[in-house]
Amino acid sequence: MGDQTVPAKGNVLGSLVPARYVLAVLGSIAMAIIYGLKVNLSVAMVAMLNHTALAHGSTPAEAKEHVDAEPVCQGSSNSTEAVEDGPFVWSEPVQGMILSCYFWGYLVSQVPGARVAESFSARWVMFFSVLINVVCTLLTPVAAKLHYVAMIVMRIGEGIGGGVTFPAMHVMLASWAPPNERSVMSAIVYAGTALGTVISMLMAGVLAGTLGWESVFYVMGGLSCLWMVLWLWLVQDTPSKQPLISQEERDLITTSLGSGSSSGHNEPKPPVPWRKVFTSAPFYGILIAHVCNNWGWYMLLIELPFYMKQVLQFNIKENAVVTAIPFLTMWFFSMALSKTLDALRSRGKITTTIARKTATFIASAVPMVCLLALCYIGCQRGLAVSLMTIGITAIGGMFCGLLSNHIDIAPNYAGTLMAITNTAATLSGIIVPIFVGQITHGNQTIGAWRVIFFVTIALYVVEIIAYLLLASGEEQPWNKGDKPASSIEAAEAEATPLNTKESKQNYNGQEQ
């Protein structure tokens, strides 16, 4: 079924705010919900565990060996007010399994979800993604009390829903974002992951400390239901399907994307040219960077609350605040960086390739240096918090860096490419909690965490080298599918070649 242009209804959205930014904001809230419902367990689990029983579970010999090897940091004077004991005696390996099993579901749903989004409706894929997460979140307290295996089932369900979000939003952005606004719109959408992390960690800390750990899941799951109503009301798959849009904005988007009013969407997309994708250097640049960056991202996203608790001895409320603040600064930084890079690109000062490489370099080099410093500052809590804040803030560069790059090189397959690289990167989310759980089992010391940080630093080095050497911001020839070269040239001749100043430069510089 092809798209049919729906008449604009009196500039309903256009008179207030552009429809494409309504999509971006609601997309950002969707990502915030998905990430919020993902990370709330990392905070809530601190209140769910019986730390006294777990501490007594290690043998005296193990305890003496680790105390002799390296003393644990002393907490603040008020951190002794609570060793927040909950009902569950889950060992570190079990904790790691519960946290990592989210990514088992996340791993398997991405590529099928991307193909459904590209072939049918990304809007409905996003809706069901949030719906699944809300249902599983509301059932989590019951599942936890039944058995940790039931917890694993709920987390896998959330992962299945969460896995399709990035591919589906890439499909939406490819249809809605003019090329010269792509960095900003992508940053708005994907920075929702940081905003969701902030809100979730703060809410989870306050709720767990005041109303009990069960309230974390009931309150946050319930509040997320409002988004589903707004999404179905205000968002459509393409501008041509959106009745709540001005004709001027619809023309601006479709013309800049070279799709006309609706004809560009009537043509079915060619099959994915798998061989060309998997022999493309720019694709591998994104793939390697995504895998390595995700390791650092999940290390900080999932494990930071445990480092704050185990090593720096923050209590539950301190933990939530100190862990959440860096993700708020990340949100502001990602907005500022994306706007700056788009402004430089629109003025012809830098190319898309330079913009993507600059953002990705910041997102990897700065946290790498901060983790290296963290290995040697010992128990200086104030300095540790400052370093983690700077490092997490800089990771925001990935939203307008490598995460936007799929749309640059192949907008027709942006969802599929994101699904492929994010599936590979999801392995980091599976391995990180298990890896940390094994390293810190009975050994919750700075020395153990130093090993964890050095592994992360090494992967950041790999990311920097691979992305700087292989990445590109230019559309690749295989974006047109497996058509012969003559067909591609003919199609390009019919399309509008001057969508952005960068494409103007490339077009004018071509030798005929």
Side-chain angles (χ1 to χ4, degrees):
M1 295 187 348
D3 277 0
Q4 292 185 352
T5 301
V6 179
K9 294 185 178 179
N11 301 347
V12 176
L13 283 184
S15 61
L16 300 174
V17 62
R20 62 189 185 278
Y21 283 99
V22 172
L23 162 70
V25 170
L26 285 177
S28 183
I29 295 172
M31 301 304 291
I33 290 172
I34 294 297
Y35 263 69
L37 300 184
K38 178 199 297 187
V39 304
N40 61 7
L41 183 61
S42 296
V43 178
M45 192 179 284
V46 176
M48 294 168 70
L49 297 174
N50 190 318
H51 299 280
T52 302
L54 288 170
H56 292 161
S58 60
T59 65
E62 287 176 334
K64 182 178 187 304
E65 176 184 345
H66 296 310
V67 167
D68 290 343
E70 191 162 8
V72 176
C73 298
Q74 296 298 313
S76 62
S77 58
N78 66 351
S79 68
T80 59
E81 67 188 29
V83 175
E84 301 88 357
D85 280 342
F88 304 109
V89 185
W90 295 331
S91 66
E92 285 88 349
V94 171
Q95 295 170 37
M97 183 181 299
I98 292 173
L99 290 172
S100 70
C101 66
Y102 177 95
F103 299 97
W104 303 350
Y106 197 89
L107 187 69
V108 301
S109 66
Q110 293 187 75
V111 173
R115 296 307 294 156
V116 171
E118 288 175 342
S119 303
F120 299 101
S121 172
R123 170 178 175 253
W124 281 105
V125 169
M126 283 298 300
F127 175 82
F128 282 109
S129 168
V130 174
L131 177 63
I132 292 170
N133 272 265
V134 168
V135 171
C136 290
T137 296
L138 293 173
L139 292 176
T140 292
V142 176
K145 293 173 183 177
L146 285 175
H147 197 274
Y148 74 81
V149 173
M151 275 285 290
I152 289 175
V153 173
M154 290 298 102
R155 295 295 287 178
I156 292 174
E158 289 185 47
I160 290 173
V164 303
T165 52
F166 276 93
M169 283 311 307
H170 257 45
V171 174
M172 298 290 287
L173 288 169
S175 298
W176 277 91
N180 63 349
E181 297 179 24
R182 192 171 288 159
S183 292
V184 171
M185 289 186 64
S186 296
I188 291 173
V189 170
Y190 296 128
T193 60
L195 201 58
T197 302
V198 173
I199 296 170
S200 179
M201 287 183 168
L202 290 175
M203 284 185 65
V206 172
L207 289 170
T210 55
L211 300 178
W213 63 268
E214 297 100 326
S215 66
V216 173
F217 305 99
Y218 291 138
V219 172
M220 296 178 67
L223 289 175
S224 301
C225 295
L226 177 61
W227 174 91
M228 293 186 285
V229 176
L230 294 175
W231 180 259
L232 291 182
W233 176 31
L234 297 175
V235 172
Q236 297 292 335
D237 278 299
T238 63
S240 58
K241 284 184 173 182
Q242 175 61 273
L244 306 175
I245 188 176
S246 69
Q247 188 61 47
E248 293 80 8
E249 183 184 4
R250 180 180 289 160
D251 292 341
L252 177 130
I253 296 170
T254 55
T255 301
S256 69
L257 295 175
S259 56
S261 62
S262 64
S263 59
H265 297 290
N266 286 333
E267 295 182 7
K269 292 178 181 177
V272 179
W274 296 109
R275 182 182 60 82
K276 293 179 180 178
V277 170
F278 286 108
T279 55
S280 169
F283 168 74
Y284 279 107
I286 299 172
L287 176 65
I288 295 170
H290 201 165
V291 170
C292 295
N293 195 274
N294 255 32
W295 179 282
W297 169 246
Y298 286 125
M299 182 64 66
L300 295 167
L301 185 71
I302 299 173
E303 300 301 332
L304 186 57
F306 290 95
Y307 178 76
M308 308 297 286
K309 171 72 179 179
Q310 294 174 1
V311 176
L312 299 182
Q313 299 294 298
F314 284 95
N315 66 40
I316 182 69
K317 292 181 182 178
E318 292 175 320
N319 197 337
V321 173
V322 172
T323 305
I325 288 174
F327 291 95
L328 181 60
T329 58
M330 176 203 282
W331 186 82
F332 285 113
F333 175 73
S334 64
M335 294 293 101
L337 181 63
S338 64
K339 188 67 176 176
T340 300
L341 292 176
D342 262 358
L344 291 173
R345 288 171 59 221
S346 65
R347 295 171 188 166
K349 302 293 184 182
I350 60 174
T351 64
T352 302
T353 301
I354 296 299
R356 301 293 181 242
K357 289 184 177 181
T358 299
T360 303
F361 180 80
I362 292 171
S364 50
V366 175
M368 178 184 70
V369 172
C370 291
L371 285 177
L372 183 62
L374 203 60
C375 291
Y376 296 103
I377 64 169
C379 296
Q380 300 180 60
R381 287 165 34 120
L383 182 55
V385 169
S386 298
L387 286 170
M388 286 186 286
T389 300
I390 295 170
I392 293 173
T393 298
I395 292 178
M398 71 177 175
F399 301 130
C400 57
L402 67 96
L403 289 185
S404 302
N405 205 181
H406 309 75
I407 307 175
D408 299 322
I409 66 172
N412 283 336
Y413 310 108
T416 296
L417 295 188
M418 169 57 87
I420 296 169
T421 66
N422 208 26
T423 297
T426 298
L427 294 174
S428 299
I430 296 174
I431 296 170
V432 162
I434 297 173
F435 171 67
V436 172
Q438 292 295 330
I439 295 293
T440 60
H441 181 47
N443 184 24
Q444 298 174 357
T445 64
I446 294 176
W449 280 92
R450 192 173 291 149
V451 173
I452 295 167
F453 291 155
F454 270 123
V455 171
T456 307
I457 290 167
L459 290 173
Y460 272 133
V461 172
V462 172
E463 176 190 354
I464 291 170
I465 295 172
Y467 198 76
L468 290 181
L469 290 178
L470 301 176
S472 171
E474 302 297 324
E475 181 180 338
Q476 300 301 297
W478 46 266
N479 179 53
K480 309 299 181 184
D482 282 318
K483 297 178 182 179
S486 58
S487 298
I488 295 174
E489 290 173 0
E492 289 176 343
E494 295 175 2
T496 303
L498 304 179
N499 291 337
T500 65
K501 290 196 174 184
E502 181 186 353
S503 60
K504 280 184 182 181
Q505 294 166 352
N506 295 335
Y507 180 74
N508 292 333
Q510 289 175 350
E511 293 181 4
Q512 302 297 329

